Amino acid sequence: RKEVEQDPGPFNVPEGATVAFNCTYSNSASQSFFWYRQDCRKEPKLLMSVYSSGNEDGRFTAQLNRASQYISLLIRDSKLSDSATYLCVVNLPQQAGTALIFGKGTTLSVSS
Amino acid sequence: SQTIHQWPATLVQPVGSPLSLECTVEGTSNPNLYWYRQAAGRGLQLLFYSVGIGQISSEVPQNLSASRPQDRQFILSSKKLLLSDSGFYLCACRAGSSYEQYFGPGTRLTVT
């Protein structure tokens, strides 16, 4: 089983749509979870951390289900500028240096 | 907050030539530093990480090496490049108790 799995997409949605991305992770001891955003040919940038109780940042909502080892990201009222690849990220707690494991990403394309 | 510099931004090198990529960090001290590679159409692969000067851990056996001669300097090297070394090389930094990592702008390497 891959350590972090995401649906690669692409997700093609019109402006204003609501879109949800899902992610599963294999290491039940992971404690830290993130969503990163990566624009074409650019570095990944931290979008938001994911907390156990769920958290919201404007149009973005992240949820964590530890029992199912499942993470989600919901984007409401999609904008053209949301077009990017979204990376699901978890930590590997056993390793010194606290490495992060990145999913391969889900590509979102928002059209007018 | 920290700023991560990488150079060069792009590089085209022939097979068998040496490589040296540099990463420097500003705005923090004693960070954990990471080298990742992202090959075309693939996810981020952790290559090396360092928790301090002179301390390097390798995640993937290959013809690359890393060094950390100063607290905020991280270097990725190779004596002889292979075609498979082509990719987008990203330096990342983690500071403090948070597991979040922040990326530099990356170096796009093409081996011909």
Side-chain angles (χ1 to χ4, degrees):
Chain A
R1 181 180 175 184
K2 293 179 183 176
E3 291 175 302
V4 178
E5 289 197 66
Q6 295 182 250
D7 181 343
F11 283 61
N12 298 305
V13 303
E15 276 186 291
T18 296
V19 61
F21 304 140
N22 303 318
C23 165
T24 56
Y25 60 96
S26 61
N27 192 323
S28 60
S30 291
Q31 299 168 336
S32 295
F33 311 91
F34 310 95
W35 284 100
Y36 278 71
R37 169 192 170 131
Q38 186 173 22
D39 292 292
C40 187
R41 300 180 69 82
K42 297 289 187 180
E43 74 274 23
K45 293 185 177 178
L46 179 66
L47 178 66
M48 59 196 301
S49 301
V50 185
Y51 302 117
S52 297
S53 56
N55 49 298
E56 186 175 308
D57 183 1
R59 297 181 292 108
F60 299 84
T61 301
Q63 297 279 351
L64 169 65
N65 184 323
R66 286 187 185 270
S68 302
Q69 296 178 207
Y70 172 94
I71 306 165
S72 66
L73 177 68
L74 182 75
I75 305 176
R76 293 183 300 277
D77 188 23
S78 298
K79 312 292 185 189
L80 293 174
S81 58
D82 293 334
S83 298
T85 296
Y86 291 83
L87 308 175
C88 177
V89 183
V90 305
N91 76 308
L92 279 182
Q94 295 93 337
Q95 289 192 312
T98 315
L100 296 180
I101 299 299
F102 288 76
K104 291 186 178 181
T106 299
T107 299
L108 173 65
S109 177
V110 182
S111 56
S112 57
Chain B
S1 63
Q2 63 267 36
T3 301
I4 304 165
H5 302 279
Q6 287 188 247
W7 63 90
T10 60
L11 192 58
V12 180
Q13 292 283 97
V15 168
S17 63
L19 173 74
S20 181
L21 302 181
E22 189 162 347
C23 169
T24 59
V25 180
E26 293 179 358
T28 187
S29 60
N30 196 31
N32 286 359
L33 297 175
Y34 306 83
W35 278 112
Y36 291 88
R37 177 172 62 201
Q38 189 173 37
R42 302 185 67 178
L44 271 76
Q45 178 186 33
L46 178 63
L47 302 175
F48 301 94
Y49 66 89
S50 172
V51 299
I53 296 173
Q55 300 179 63
I56 308 293
S57 296
S58 173
E59 289 298 301
V60 184
Q62 57 207 329
N63 67 319
L64 299 172
S65 62
S67 62
R68 187 168 175 178
Q70 300 180 44
D71 180 47
R72 289 172 286 180
Q73 183 185 29
F74 203 24
I75 297 172
L76 182 70
S77 304
S78 174
K79 292 181 179 178
K80 288 186 177 182
L81 284 169
L82 307 172
L83 285 173
S84 58
D85 291 325
S86 293
F88 190 33
Y89 287 82
L90 291 153
C91 178
C93 168
R94 174 191 161 223
S97 59
S98 169
Y99 292 135
E100 298 163 356
Q101 291 181 18
Y102 297 89
F103 287 85
T107 295
R108 198 163 296 277
L109 171 66
T110 302
V111 182
T112 60

